Amino acid sequence: MAVETKTDKLMWPIEAIQPVKDGDTVVLGGFGPLGYPAQLVKALYLFSDAKDLHIALNAPNGMYLPTLDRLIAERASHLTTTFVRTSRAATKFFKEGKLTLTPQGTFAERLRAAGAGIPGFYTPVGIGTMVAEGKEVKEFNGRQYLLEEALNADVGFMQATKVDYDGNCYIEGAMKSFGALVPAASKYTVVEAEEIVPVGDIPSELITVSGIYIDGIVKVGMRHDQ
């Protein structure tokens, strides 16, 4: 039975970005524009002075996500991502040595490891490529592996299909890519909800992310001045 209660987790975008401070690691969910927390990124760019950010996400896209490109170019000091070709800011960071290029599977596992409290893990992905530069290599059963560190975040922004007032999230389709891993890896997490429903409306077996990981909820379509 649905419970018609609200919590203090429901926020305006301008409120949700207030905890972000200089030097924070900010992880964004989504696969390109799918599941990308556009309102929160826009609010962070327009209404926060936080700088020297370490921004981490899968595949920034300068064509579809121009505000993100401006945020990276103007306020970030480092970028961790899986792909740079569609982002001028990411390409510039790569050339300047301010970008950590990470395979998609490794990026996901770095987030998962952070959420599980695991400081690092070994993976064969990247051996013999630029991804291996400067990293410890260890041999197991005749095969070489790279040591990758967990990606712990100060702030996590993600998107969900449905969110109840306690923050429990149901995420479907490509929106789930990386976004479902963001909350456990982050000290502070805000979710953009396509739909906000009463507690109990989302069947327990369909909850993708537990509300215990969610600090703030922003409704898709909400503006700071509404």
Side-chain angles (χ1 to χ4, degrees):
M1 179 179 177
V3 180
E4 296 285 353
T5 58
K6 295 188 178 182
T7 72
D8 58 1
K9 292 185 179 182
L10 190 60
M11 302 177 178
W12 301 110
I14 195 171
E15 295 176 297
I17 55 91
Q18 292 306 310
V20 184
K21 61 186 185 302
D22 292 357
D24 274 354
T25 294
V26 180
V27 176
L28 307 177
F31 195 100
L34 300 175
Y36 167 73
Q39 290 181 123
L40 290 167
V41 171
K42 186 174 182 179
L44 183 60
Y45 178 70
L46 293 176
F47 303 112
S48 170
D49 294 325
K51 59 185 184 299
D52 296 326
L53 301 173
H54 173 195
I55 297 176
L57 78 161
N58 174 61
N61 189 313
M63 181 182 298
Y64 296 106
L65 312 175
T67 302
L68 173 63
D69 241 26
R70 291 192 290 268
L71 179 68
I72 294 169
E74 299 174 23
R75 310 269 280 287
S77 59
H78 196 83
L79 178 67
T80 294
T81 191
T82 65
F83 190 75
V84 302
R85 190 174 298 173
T86 55
S87 167
R88 290 184 179 181
T91 301
K92 184 173 183 290
F93 269 47
F94 176 77
K95 292 177 179 179
E96 294 175 352
K98 297 190 292 185
L99 182 144
T100 299
L101 192 61
T102 305
Q104 286 186 334
T106 301
F107 182 72
E109 183 62 12
R110 290 184 67 195
L111 288 173
R112 191 204 67 81
I118 299 170
F121 58 92
Y122 286 98
T123 174
V125 179
I127 289 289
T129 72
M130 62 180 299
V131 172
E133 293 178 5
K135 295 176 182 175
E136 178 187 325
V137 177
K138 191 169 184 177
E139 187 173 303
F140 294 91
N141 298 318
R143 189 177 185 185
Q144 290 188 322
Y145 293 79
L146 296 180
L147 176 62
E148 294 280 1
E149 295 185 3
L151 182 50
N152 294 284
D154 299 293
V155 177
F157 292 153
M158 40 90 72
Q159 198 176 78
T161 311
K162 289 184 180 181
V163 181
D164 70 24
Y165 289 109
D166 278 347
N168 297 303
C169 303
Y170 165 64
I171 311 175
E172 65 181 12
M175 187 184 294
K176 191 180 296 185
S177 297
F178 305 101
L181 298 169
V182 167
S186 306
K187 296 176 183 176
Y188 170 77
T189 302
V190 182
V191 57
E192 284 188 13
E194 289 192 338
E195 182 181 359
I196 300 177
V197 299
V199 176
D201 260 23
I202 305 173
S204 58
E205 66 271 19
L206 295 183
I207 292 175
T208 313
V209 175
S210 171
I212 63 173
Y213 294 110
I214 303 299
D215 299 288
I217 305 166
V218 168
K219 178 73 168 67
V220 171
M222 290 174 73
R223 300 196 310 270
H224 75 281
D225 56 347
Q226 285 182 311

